[in-house]
Amino acid sequence: MSFFKITLIRSGIGMTERQNGVLKSLGLRKRMKTVYHPVTPQTAGMIMKVKELLTVSEVDTPLTQKEIHEKRRPPKGFIVENPLRPEATAE
Amino acid sequence: MFGFLRPTQPLSGGLLWKIPWRMSSMQKYRHRQRLRRVDRLVECVDNALAKQGMTAAAVERWKMEMPTEAEMEPRDKYTLFDRNAKKYRKGVHKVPKWTRVSQRVNPPGY
C-alpha cells in the first residue's frame, strides 16, 4: 500500500471556505506541515481541490509525526566516541 | 514641488497601490514555475492512482480539459480574457490571489 506525502507550501489564507475546509480535513494547519494519506481516489480528489498550495509525492511507508520531527532536527555538532553507558546510546 | 514634497498621488491621497500593466520577465518566470509545479503534482497523483488501477474524476477531468505548461501559448499563460479590457485581454497578475489559483483556459475565439 502506498501513501501520498502531502506538504502545504502555500498558505490557505484568503482562499475559499471550501478549500480551507479541505486543508483542515487533510490535517494541514500551517505551512510546511507534512501529512501522509493512503492513495485513494478520495484523497486524490481532495489534493486536486487545493493543488496550487501543495507538493505531493508517493511513498511506500508513512512517517509518524515524531519521525518527521527527528528528521528535521539539526546535527548536534559533536560525536560521542566512548559513551559512558553504551546501552543508553544504542537505543 | 520636488523630491519628497512632490504632490504625487500616494503622498497626497494616502494609500495607493497600482498593479503594473504588464508582468515583468521574472514574474513570468515564477508563474511558469508555478504552472509546472501543478503539472508535476497532477502527474504524480495520476501515476500513483494508476499503479493501484484506480482513477479519480477530478484528475481525469483536469487532464482532459487543461493544457500543460508546455502546451499553453504565451498569450494564455500571461493574459486572460476580460470583457472590459482593451482587446479583451488583461494580465493574469491582475487576478486576485493569482499565484494560488489556476487560470489556464479562455473562451474560444478570444
Side-chain angles (χ1 to χ4, degrees), chain B residues 42-58:
Chain B
V42 174
E43 203 189 332
C44 170
V45 171
D46 190 40
N47 286 342
L49 285 172
K51 272 188 211 165
Q52 315 262 332
M54 293 184 288
T55 54

Side-chain angles (χ1 to χ4, degrees), chain A residues 43-63:
Chain A
T43 320
M46 284 159 88
I47 291 170
M48 288 302 282
K49 263 279 184 281
V50 286
K51 58 194 168 306
E52 295 87 6
L53 313 178
L54 310 174
T55 51
V56 174
S57 58
E58 194 195 358
V59 292
D60 291 327
T61 48
L63 296 179

Side-chain angles (χ1 to χ4, degrees), chain B:
Chain B
M1 277 296 132
F2 305 104
F4 68 97
L5 290 172
R6 191 170 70 254
T8 58
Q9 270 177 310
L11 283 175
S12 50
L15 187 65
L16 178 70
W17 288 10
K18 283 188 173 183
I19 305 174
W21 183 79
R22 70 186 96 215
M23 287 164 80
S24 73
S25 63
M26 285 302 151
Q27 270 179 316
K28 289 184 191 175
Y29 170 77
R30 291 192 297 269
H31 187 52
R32 287 196 297 277
Q33 302 301 310
R34 282 191 292 270
L35 289 170
R36 276 180 214 156
R37 205 175 68 200
V38 172
D39 288 343
R40 278 203 303 275
L41 183 144
V42 174
E43 203 189 332
C44 170
V45 171
D46 190 40
N47 286 342
L49 285 172
K51 272 188 211 165
Q52 315 262 332
M54 293 184 288
T55 54
V59 180
E60 294 304 310
R61 187 169 175 202
W62 177 269
K63 277 181 3 192
M64 203 169 69
E65 289 180 1
M66 294 293 174
T68 61
E69 192 270 338
E71 290 166 4
M72 285 172 77
E73 288 176 18
R75 183 180 147 78
D76 283 331
K77 264 182 226 174
Y78 311 122
T79 63
L80 80 153
F81 172 76
D82 176 22
R83 65 175 179 171
N84 297 317
K86 217 182 242 185
K87 292 174 100 179
Y88 301 108
R89 284 274 170 170
K90 68 175 181 182
V92 75
H93 63 302
K94 304 223 177 187
V95 174
K97 317 231 172 356
W98 67 286
T99 61
R100 290 187 283 159
V101 295
S102 286
Q103 158 54 47
R104 295 200 182 204
V105 288
N106 286 291
Y110 288 94

